[in-house]
Structures are given as C-alpha cells and as structure tokens.
Amino acid sequence: MAIRNYHHGMTTKTYPMPFTRIELIVFAVHPSGLEVLLIKRTEAPFAGQWALPGGVLRIDMDMDLESAAQRIAVERLGTPVPYIEQWGAIGGASRDPRAPWALSIVYQALVPGEQIQPKPGKRIAAIDWRPASDAATDATLAFDHRKLIELAMTRIRSAIDRLELPAGYFETPFTLTELQATCEAILGHRLDKSSFRRKLAERQLVQPVEGQFRQGAFRPAQLFELVAADPRNASR
Amino acid sequence: MAIRNYHHGMTTKTYPMPFTRIELIVFAVHPSGLEVLLIKRTEAPFAGQWALPGGVLRIDMDMDLESAAQRIAVERLGTPVPYIEQWGAIGGASRDPRAPWALSIVYQALVPGEQIQPKPGKRIAAIDWRPASDAATDATLAFDHRKLIELAMTRIRSAIDRLELPAGYFETPFTLTELQATCEAILGHRLDKSSFRRKLAERQLVQPVEGQFRQGAFRPAQLFELVAADPRNASR
DNA sequence: CCAAAAGTGTTGTGACTACACCCATGT
DNA sequence: ACATGGGTGTAGTCACAACACTTTTGG
C-alpha cells in the first residue's frame, strides 16, 4: 500500500518527481445556500473521514490539466462539469503520508442545482453534498481540505460580487429573477433587484432571448442568456 | 539529452508522473516602466531563444512549492526575493519536447528596482531585464512564455489598481511620492496625488514612521511603512 | 379585484477625479 | 525670493443602495 519510488530520468541526470494529484472543489447552488461535494474515504490515510474528491494525474490518459480535472469529474459525478477553473497548486514534503512529496492541483467547479446525484464508487464509502459554510468550519476534514474549501468560498463569492458570471454554468435560458436568486444563494445574502438589473444592463452581461418567456402562475418573464464572455480584455 | 522515463510506483499500481518545473516571472520596477527577467537558453529545446527563468522541482531539496521557487530565485538572481506569489499551474502532453508530459508551477515575483544584477550561470547564455510590455508582445519567446508574461502583467496591474500592495516588496521606509511613482511605473500611467493618498489613508494601508524623514534638496518628506497585511479577512 | 411576480423610476449618499491651493526647505 | 517637491482642500461627477412605484398575468 505504500509507495516505493518514482523518479524522472534523463541521460545526464535523474530527478524524483512528486506524487501529483488533482483535487476538485465542486460547488452546487441549493436554495438554502452553497453546497460542496465531499467523499468519505475508505483507505488510509484519513480512512473514514470526509475529503474533497480527487484523483491521480494520469499522463497516459490526460492531454492537459483541465482534461484531467474533467476526467476525474466524470469518474466522481458521472458527468462532465460545465464550468471549471484552476485554483492553484499546493505541494510539500509532508502533505500526504502516502508519498514523500505530494503535489495537488486544485480545481473549482460549479454545477447546476443538485440534479447530479453521485453514487459511491471504488474506494469511496460515501459521497454527498454538504452546506459549504458547514464544511469550511469542519475541523475533521481530511488533509488540508477544510482550508481549501474556505478559500474557494471567498473566491467564488468575490467573483459573483464583481458580477463575473461563470459562463457555461447557469442553465440558459433563465429569467433575471432566477439569476438573481442563484447569485444570492452563492453570496449568502439578498440583493436589490433594481441595482442587480442595472449592473447587468450597463455591463452588457446578458441579452434577452427574443420572443421567449417563462410561463408561470403569474406574469410571464422574459428569458435571458449570457452574452459571450469577453476574451480576456486586458485593455481599458 | 532525451528523457528516458519517470514513474510513480505503488505496491498495487504504478503511475508515471509529469516532468515538474517551477517557472519564475520576476518583475522589477524601472523608472521607465515594468521590466521582466529573461534568460537566453543554451540547450534544446529553443536553444538561443529567450525564456523565463525556471528550474526542476527537487523533492529532495524543497520542503514545499514556495521554497522551491525561492531556491530557484537564489540560483538565478543570487538572492531570495522578498515577495513571491503563486500564479497557477499549466501542464500538458506537448508543452516541452524533453518530456512526454510537462507540468509547470508558475510563480510571480517583484524585486526592488534593478539593484539585482544577475549573472549568467550554468546552461544560460545570458540573463537580462527586458521591458515587460516588450516581452509580452515578443512572439519569439520560448515555450508559451509570452502568454504567461502577458497574463502576469494584467494580474499585477489589477492588483495595484485595487491597491493590494504586495507586502515585503517595497523598500521600507518610503515616502508617499516614492510609493506613488512605483505604482505609476507598474501601471504605466500617472495617478492623482490627492486621490492616491486619500485611499491609502482611508484603507489604513500605510503608517508614518514617527520622526523619520527623507532629506533631500527640498522640503523633507515623512517616511512611511506598510501596516501589517490583514491575514485573509474573509469577513464582511 | 386581488395576489404575486415582472419590471422601471427616483432620490440621497458616498466615493472618486481633477484641479487648485498652501507649506517647508535649500540655494 | 523662488524653485521644487511635500502635503491638503474642494467642487463636480458618477455609481450605487434603498425604496417606491407601475405593469401584467392567473384566479
């Protein structure tokens, strides 16, 4: 069960390489607030404790880091995630007892609602959604995962605060009220309808889908979609 | 010169691990604007071309990623850098001809002025400062390094825009005019003195060093220092 | 006509830019 | 005295939150 060795060899020199994994912080928006996906580990280290889903980087299977993250998402969720973003990398000599040096590339994802009902798979005792603010204060999580969730929450909230709406996430088309409710669930507080809509209009973030309306019990609502995200406008 | 193999072994399974490097984007503030440190490669691939300084992650020497980045900074600059920040990771199967799968953790650093005069070392033909806006548009840079510099510039500028002053970077103590000149050089445009100072005061970013003044040709200027950076205030 | 949700207008407040102005010092 | 950079005050503008208001539907 222990790791024997790993190394990187050249004709001139040989360097051992770190045990490299991908960790996923998968958020979902629940009416009561943000939720995060956790798995219960069956194997040491931290057997029986909850942790972020993740997996080993497979250079024989993955073309790049993002496809590695998507592969692991499929393994855990049963479906690729529409929006994924790299968070950063953490690495050190004493992060994971299984290896002398462990490196994790952390990705952050947002999936629509809780339509995804993941099933426990290989080497996983259980997999379930947990309220994110709950998990961010749970000291019993495995590895350094509590801290990662805490930072990811502040990160996603500040992105929504700045109205950086993650393209590909929101189930288009949507009504403006639905969009606002989603943002409110992520932020954890109410927003003003008028201010919210003014900012959406000024920054041209959404556009109406002409002739399409959400029919309901009351007045129908215009459906909108995100306007194509600006491709890295470094100008200003 | 080619790489033979590298792998990660367990008693149950064996996974090959990626060729893992650290790349450094070292910025310096020059009166004429932001500059970036580049090296001229002697070896393939991209021999004779300019590239970012970097080095292989050495799990036998580095306790964690940040100390790896500092070790490489010392190797290249001859001195540790006071401010360094992780930028992210890029990895893929076709990034570096030397290895089937290459992973780079990119770090961004800011060093005071150009007091640092790095000397060419092993496997480096030359090392020199280049205007950053120049390098960000130079298509002849090795690997994907042009893109990395471009993104790093927008990143550091937006940080300075938000007055996130990288603690440990600025040579304390400083006068407010010196601090403003540094920010202007990074941003590439002039700032209003009054607005700049009002924001510094309101957000309590700097505090005067009592009784200390910069003597010069004219009226002496109060010296300031950064107030201790808030340790991740997720509240609000 | 009423309830409920969609959608728009309005107003006061606070933050910012641009600019003008005083202050202190060496020559 | 005056040139130079240090340091402060002010007025117009703009973005915003809060809140009130009108509109449109189903029952």
Side-chain angles (χ1 to χ4, degrees), chain B residues 192 194-195 198 203 217 219-220:
Chain B
D192 182 79
S194 182
S195 301
R198 181 180 21 79
R203 303 178 200 180
R219 172 177 173 178

Side-chain angles (χ1 to χ4, degrees), chain B residues 3-4 6 8 34 49 75 84 105 111 197 200 207:
Chain B
I3 281 158
R4 283 219 203 90
Y6 41 83
H8 174 278
L34 209 54
Q49 286 176 256
E75 285 176 10
I84 196 161
I105 318 290
V111 302
R197 291 175 181 215
L200 288 179
Q207 57 193 6

Side-chain angles (χ1 to χ4, degrees), chain A:
Chain A
M1 209 65 85
I3 282 156
R4 283 219 204 91
N5 67 32
Y6 39 81
H7 63 268
H8 174 277
M10 295 195 209
T11 50
T12 49
K13 294 190 183 177
T14 292
Y15 301 115
M17 285 289 134
F19 179 51
T20 306
R21 292 173 48 87
I22 308 274
E23 316 290 345
L24 297 181
I25 306 182
V26 183
F27 286 116
V29 180
H30 190 262
S32 66
L34 209 55
E35 306 217 318
V36 65
L37 193 66
L38 294 182
I39 62 164
K40 195 170 188 177
R41 298 177 56 83
T42 58
E43 297 190 354
F46 298 103
Q49 286 176 254
W50 291 87
L52 290 170
V56 179
L57 174 68
R58 297 289 303 273
I59 71 172
D60 52 337
M61 299 170 65
D62 306 318
M63 279 307 294
D64 53 35
L65 286 175
E66 187 156 330
S67 35
Q70 286 289 3
R71 173 181 58 79
I72 290 166
V74 170
E75 285 176 8
R76 302 307 197 198
L77 298 169
T79 171
V81 291
Y83 169 70
I84 196 162
E85 187 185 9
Q86 193 189 112
W87 204 80
I90 47 174
S94 51
R95 282 191 63 247
D96 189 331
R98 282 171 295 183
W101 221 99
L103 175 63
S104 284
I105 319 290
V106 183
Y107 273 81
Q108 186 174 325
L110 211 51
V111 300
E114 293 194 28
Q115 300 156 356
I116 292 164
Q117 276 304 339
K119 298 288 178 198
K122 55 176 182 178
R123 274 172 299 168
I124 294 176
I127 180 164
D128 209 357
W129 297 102
R130 275 271 290 283
S133 53
D134 218 65
T137 53
D138 183 346
T140 71
L141 293 192
F143 306 101
D144 41 15
H145 290 180
R146 189 202 63 78
K147 190 72 183 168
L148 292 182
I149 293 169
E150 189 182 337
L151 291 174
M153 278 185 72
T154 73
R155 182 186 167 102
I156 197 172
R157 282 182 170 163
S158 86
I160 296 295
D161 246 338
R162 280 171 277 139
L163 277 186
E164 289 174 15
L165 303 179
Y169 161 58
F170 298 95
E171 292 186 90
T172 45
F174 44 76
T175 71
L176 295 186
T177 305
E178 288 163 3
L179 182 65
Q180 182 179 340
T182 302
C183 291
E184 285 172 345
I186 294 172
L187 291 173
H189 61 81
R190 299 302 308 272
L191 295 171
D192 182 77
K193 182 170 55 167
S194 182
S195 301
F196 185 73
R197 292 176 180 213
R198 180 180 21 78
K199 279 182 260 185
L200 289 178
E202 273 173 3
R203 303 178 199 178
Q204 302 183 30
L205 299 174
V206 295
Q207 58 193 4
V209 184
E210 297 297 342
Q212 293 217 32
F213 295 88
R214 172 87 75 233
Q215 302 294 337
F218 303 105
R219 172 175 174 177
Q222 173 70 57
L223 288 174
F224 287 82
E225 62 190 2
L226 289 176
V227 50
D230 47 341
R232 285 287 166 199
N233 56 336
S235 63
R236 189 266 161 107

Side-chain angles (χ1 to χ4, degrees), chain B residues 59-174:
Chain B
I59 70 172
D60 51 337
M61 300 169 65
D62 305 318
M63 279 307 293
D64 53 36
L65 286 175
E66 186 156 330
S67 35
Q70 286 288 3
R71 172 180 60 78
I72 291 165
V74 169
E75 285 176 10
R76 302 306 197 199
L77 299 169
T79 169
V81 291
Y83 169 70
I84 196 161
E85 187 184 8
Q86 193 189 113
W87 205 81
I90 46 174
S94 51
R95 282 190 63 247
D96 188 333
R98 284 171 295 182
W101 221 99
L103 175 63
S104 285
I105 318 290
V106 183
Y107 273 81
Q108 186 173 329
L110 210 53
V111 302
E114 294 194 29
Q115 301 158 354
I116 293 165
Q117 276 305 338
K119 298 288 176 197
K122 54 174 181 177
R123 275 171 300 168
I124 295 178
I127 180 165
D128 209 358
W129 297 104
R130 274 271 289 284
S133 54
D134 218 66
T137 53
D138 183 348
T140 71
L141 292 193
F143 305 100
D144 42 15
H145 290 179
R146 190 202 64 77
K147 192 70 184 167
L148 293 183
I149 293 169
E150 189 181 340
L151 291 174
M153 277 185 73
T154 72
R155 182 186 166 100
I156 197 171
R157 282 180 170 165
S158 85
I160 296 295
D161 247 338
R162 280 172 277 140
L163 276 188
E164 287 174 15
L165 304 179
Y169 160 58
F170 299 95
E171 292 187 90
T172 47
F174 44 76

Side-chain angles (χ1 to χ4, degrees), chain B residues 21-26 37-39 51-55 72 76 127:
Chain B
R21 294 173 47 88
I22 308 275
E23 316 291 344
L24 297 181
I25 305 181
V26 184
L37 193 66
L38 293 182
I39 62 163
L52 290 171
I72 291 165
R76 302 306 197 199
I127 180 165

